[in-house]
């Protein structure tokens, strides 16, 4: 299957600072990437859908000015958590897909390994 | 609003047992239902189901979808300790092209 990487895998920062997380599709072009957040013992919650070359679509309740998403190329999307606070501490996961069906089959989203953010 | 409900939320069994995990859903424009296994990091893909009644199988794992009753089951036979994980069910909405996840089932296999 296709490979999606995330960087960094974990980050600790002070309250009030900004943190950037990168999501890369390594062997395919991802016209669409998704950003999820997962709190301990909870499921994945979609934060936003990122389409290459256009503005991200945010889910209800997600502050777009706090979670800045940039999808400038077909292989890279970034999520910047601005002015991070302890309540932003979570596991952030991206996924990527090419919405064009491949060999006539629907293809699934491919998940990155996740980034664990701890805000002190 | 799209909704996915998994049951049970938690399950503890002994090695060798067979388990069945349930997933029911409500979605406006169904495209597919997916099962994932999550251990310590991001989910790993297990199955994608799009048609009713066709069983997907991979080793000791199998899954089937019922689009009339809006549910899916994931079966694991002859469980092993390595099967311990959270199993996530997700439904894809064709219009929104996004995945809606259930709460997950935390499966623990005791030796």
């Amino acid at each position: 299957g296709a490979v999606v990487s995330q960087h960094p895998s974990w980050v600790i920062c002070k309250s009030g600072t900004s943190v950037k997380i990168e999501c890369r599709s390594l062997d395919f072009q991802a016209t669409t990437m998704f950003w999820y957040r997962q709190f301990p013992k909870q499921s994945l919650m979609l934060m936003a859908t990122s389409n290459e070359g256009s503005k991200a679509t945010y889910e209800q309740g997600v502050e777009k000015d706090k979670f800045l998403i940039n999808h400038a190329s077909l292989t890279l999307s970034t999520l910047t958590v601005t002015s991070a606070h302890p309540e932003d501490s979570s596991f952030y996961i991206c996924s990527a897909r090419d919405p064009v069906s491949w060999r006539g089959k629907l293809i699934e989203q491919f998940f990155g390994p996740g980034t664990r953010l701890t805000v002190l | 609003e799209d909704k996915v409900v998994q049951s049970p939320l938690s399950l503890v069994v002994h090695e060798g047992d067979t388990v069945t995990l349930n997933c029911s859903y409500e979605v406006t424009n169904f495209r597919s239902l997916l099962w994932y296994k999550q251990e310590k990091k991001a989910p790993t893909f297990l199955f994608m189901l799009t048609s009713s009644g066709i069983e997907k199988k991979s080793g000791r794992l199998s899954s089937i979808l019922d689009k009339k009753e809006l549910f899916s089951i994931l079966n694991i036979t002859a469980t092993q300790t390595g099967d311990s994980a959270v199993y996530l069910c997700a439904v894809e909405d064709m219009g929104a092209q996004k995945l809606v996840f259930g709460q997950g089932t935390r499966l623990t296999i005791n030796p």
Side-chain angles (χ1 to χ4, degrees):
Chain A
V3 179
V4 176
S5 71
Q6 274 184 249
H7 178 80
S9 55
W10 59 270
V11 57
I12 301 173
C13 69
K14 290 183 179 179
S15 188
T17 59
S18 293
V19 174
K20 181 186 280 189
I21 303 169
E22 292 186 349
C23 176
R24 291 181 187 273
S25 56
L26 298 185
D27 51 3
F28 68 104
Q29 292 185 330
T31 52
T32 305
M33 289 183 171
F34 302 86
W35 287 97
Y36 297 85
R37 181 167 51 183
Q38 186 176 33
F39 291 108
K41 298 194 176 180
Q42 292 188 27
S43 192
L44 277 72
M45 295 297 294
L46 180 66
M47 298 174 68
T49 302
S50 165
N51 291 300
E52 186 265 337
S54 62
K55 289 184 179 179
T57 302
Y58 289 81
E59 294 299 301
Q60 198 170 12
V62 178
E63 299 174 59
K64 61 181 180 181
D65 294 330
K66 181 168 181 63
F67 299 99
L68 301 178
I69 292 172
N70 184 281
H71 192 158
S73 79
L74 285 171
T75 59
L76 173 65
S77 176
T78 61
L79 167 68
T80 301
V81 183
T82 61
S83 187
H85 288 97
E87 58 265 30
D88 298 323
S89 298
S90 187
F91 192 48
Y92 291 86
I93 308 173
C94 74
S95 70
R97 72 180 304 170
D98 183 342
V100 176
S101 63
W102 177 65
R103 294 184 188 172
K105 297 180 182 178
L106 294 174
I107 56 172
E108 72 276 17
Q109 295 181 21
F110 300 102
F111 283 88
T115 296
R116 189 161 300 283
L117 170 63
T118 301
V119 185
L120 302 176
Chain B
E1 185 181 325
D2 298 341
K3 191 177 174 183
V4 179
V5 177
Q6 291 185 246
S7 64
L9 295 181
S10 179
L11 185 58
V12 181
V13 299
H14 290 293
E15 204 167 18
D17 288 351
T18 292
V19 297
T20 298
L21 310 183
N22 303 294
C23 175
S24 63
Y25 64 90
E26 294 174 23
V27 64
T28 307
N29 288 303
F30 178 86
R31 184 180 191 190
S32 62
L33 183 145
L34 300 98
W35 284 97
Y36 291 89
K37 178 183 182 182
Q38 186 177 27
E39 295 173 90
K40 291 184 180 176
K41 290 199 170 180
T44 54
F45 172 77
L46 295 175
F47 297 112
M48 173 187 272
L49 303 157
T50 56
S51 302
S52 274
I54 299 174
E55 186 183 48
K56 292 258 180 129
K57 203 167 168 64
S58 176
R60 296 176 293 103
L61 278 67
S62 64
S63 183
I64 198 160
L65 173 68
D66 186 328
K67 289 170 73 174
K68 184 179 176 186
E69 300 297 329
L70 307 183
F71 79 91
S72 173
I73 60 171
L74 174 68
N75 275 323
I76 309 176
T77 60
T79 53
Q80 302 171 357
T81 54
D83 295 327
S84 295
V86 174
Y87 289 83
L88 296 166
C89 172
V91 171
E92 185 173 15
D93 183 304
M94 189 179 300
Q97 289 195 51
K98 63 181 184 182
L99 290 179
V100 177
F101 281 86
Q103 323 93 300
T105 294
R106 184 171 296 275
L107 177 64
T108 303
I109 311 296
N110 288 325

